[in-house]
Amino acid sequence: MKKFLAFGLLVLGIFTQAQINRFFYEYKFIPDSGNKEDVKKEMMLLDISPKGSSYYSYDKYVSDSAIVAAVEKQAKSGSGNISIDRKEKSGQINYKVVKDYPDFKTYLLTKISTDQYKVKEDQKPVWEILPDKQKVGEYMAQKATTSYGGRDWIAWFTSDIPFQDGPYKFYGLPGLIVKIEDTTGSHIMTLAGNKKIENSSPETELKLPAGMVMLGVGGKEIEVTENQFRKVWKDYVNDPTKNMRQMMAGSGDMKMSFKFKDASGKEISDPNQVMRAMEKNTRERLAKDNNPIEPELLK
């Protein structure tokens, strides 16, 4: 057995100029630990370039791209009215993980209410490489284990793909991680395919027109430590609509309108009713979303 600390050396392989390597991962996860039969799926992308990597939801990016394009078109029309209809599947995973090479500085980009936070990771995966080997898809892979973020993980990596990277915050093995799962079976990420693409990739952050704020899209980016993020998260759990109320209070003479559909499909437009409905909806969602990929970050 061999145990070592992940380090900042990366075997980049051969990159075609202006191209990146995109790896597709099927992510299976159980949001509610009390309902293990409800297994969700999301297609995730890991884009690797000479400068670093980005891991994010494909559906979320497609949906956000459509929304931003619609907002920009309506803003340019000068009508003063913005109407958003989410026709695309919006995706279930709202976070993104960015790693900067060569030292693998790792950041979690995630949203709380109207704000986006950039959380710097302060720990590195410590791996134990085992002799076990098995085939994962078309690749012969070797086993490794680690404890990370409040979970124990089993990874399978292949030296056939010479990138010391992997999905989410995992990296530092002598080859790409082609499969990783926690020991409870709550979170499983498996390589499903790969291709080279032009460098105009979704690793560029989506931006709304200046002065516009929308839940889940755009918003200011705040760089914080993990401890600072934990405090923000606790405040949000205790008061889910605080940001929205502050935004309303600071809007001045600008007229703000709200529309919200409750569980029965009834549309609510009164701001006070919208706030109550949003708070109720958020608390119910959080109660069922109790099995996060990184429990230590949300404790």
Side-chain angles (χ1 to χ4, degrees):
M1 298 182 187
K2 182 167 60 174
K3 184 175 288 190
F4 64 94
L5 183 67
F7 53 92
L9 176 65
L10 172 70
V11 181
L12 286 174
I14 300 174
F15 275 95
T16 303
Q17 188 174 10
Q19 281 192 332
I20 64 174
N21 288 270
R22 170 166 292 172
F23 297 92
F24 298 80
Y25 285 85
E26 182 186 61
Y27 177 31
K28 294 181 180 179
F29 59 102
I30 299 172
D32 185 356
S33 59
N35 184 10
K36 294 186 177 181
E37 300 302 314
D38 183 22
V39 180
K40 306 293 186 185
K41 292 183 182 180
E42 186 97 346
M43 183 58 69
M44 305 294 291
L45 303 179
L46 176 66
D47 288 350
I48 297 180
S49 75
K51 294 182 179 180
S53 66
S54 297
Y55 178 73
Y56 55 94
S57 162
Y58 173 76
D59 285 338
K60 178 72 165 57
Y61 179 78
V62 170
S63 174
D64 288 356
S65 298
I67 289 172
V68 170
V71 169
E72 288 178 341
K73 182 177 179 181
Q74 293 176 60
K76 288 177 182 178
S77 71
S79 66
N81 295 317
I82 302 293
S83 176
I84 300 300
D85 183 11
R86 283 186 179 268
K87 294 181 179 179
E88 301 289 341
K89 184 179 177 183
S90 61
Q92 304 164 91
I93 305 302
N94 293 316
Y95 63 74
K96 174 180 175 182
V97 174
V98 175
K99 306 185 189 94
D100 294 337
Y101 299 159
D103 51 3
F104 280 90
K105 289 181 181 177
T106 302
Y107 300 91
L108 173 70
L109 278 64
T110 188
K111 291 187 180 293
I112 297 179
S113 188
T114 58
D115 293 331
Q116 176 164 281
Y117 291 88
K118 185 176 183 180
V119 189
K120 188 178 186 302
E121 178 57 60
D122 58 9
Q123 63 173 318
K124 297 180 178 181
V126 178
W127 297 100
E128 182 177 2
I129 296 181
L130 303 171
D132 312 55
K133 293 185 178 182
Q134 69 175 29
K135 209 164 186 186
V136 177
E138 60 183 283
Y139 299 102
M140 183 55 67
Q142 187 168 351
K143 187 177 182 180
T145 60
T146 189
S147 294
Y148 189 88
R151 293 183 181 275
D152 294 326
W153 296 88
I154 298 171
W156 296 90
F157 68 93
T158 179
S159 56
D160 294 341
I161 307 177
F163 296 106
Q164 294 180 8
D165 210 331
Y168 195 61
K169 297 180 180 179
F170 299 105
Y171 66 91
L173 287 166
L176 185 74
I177 297 171
V178 291
K179 183 177 181 180
I180 187 164
E181 64 181 303
D182 80 304
T183 52
T184 71
S186 295
H187 298 270
I188 306 172
M189 291 158 273
T190 308
L191 183 67
N194 65 282
K195 67 177 182 179
K196 289 183 181 293
I197 64 168
E198 295 302 316
N199 206 18
S200 55
S201 73
E203 54 187 2
T204 302
E205 282 300 312
L206 294 167
K207 302 291 184 183
L208 288 168
M212 297 195 67
V213 178
M214 186 178 301
L215 285 173
V217 180
K220 63 181 179 179
E221 184 177 283
I222 305 167
E223 188 163 343
V224 294
T225 64
E226 289 189 345
N227 285 334
Q228 289 170 329
F229 180 79
R230 289 188 185 99
K231 183 181 184 306
V232 173
W233 176 255
K234 287 180 181 178
D235 289 344
Y236 172 67
V237 171
N238 291 331
D239 189 358
T241 59
K242 179 181 178 180
N243 274 23
M244 294 297 291
R245 293 199 309 273
Q246 290 177 341
M247 188 171 65
M248 286 179 64
S251 62
D253 295 331
M254 184 175 65
K255 185 178 179 181
M256 301 184 69
S257 61
F258 296 84
K259 288 184 179 180
F260 185 87
K261 287 186 178 180
D262 62 17
S264 66
K266 180 183 177 182
E267 192 172 90
I268 304 169
S269 58
D270 176 79
N272 292 324
Q273 291 183 359
V274 168
M275 290 298 164
R276 287 195 294 269
M278 286 180 64
E279 181 170 352
K280 181 176 182 292
N281 182 68
T282 301
R283 292 191 185 283
E284 290 175 351
R285 176 178 56 81
L286 291 174
K288 293 180 180 179
D289 192 13
N290 55 47
N291 196 24
I293 188 171
E294 203 173 343
E296 282 188 354
L297 190 61
L298 302 180
K299 64 183 181 181

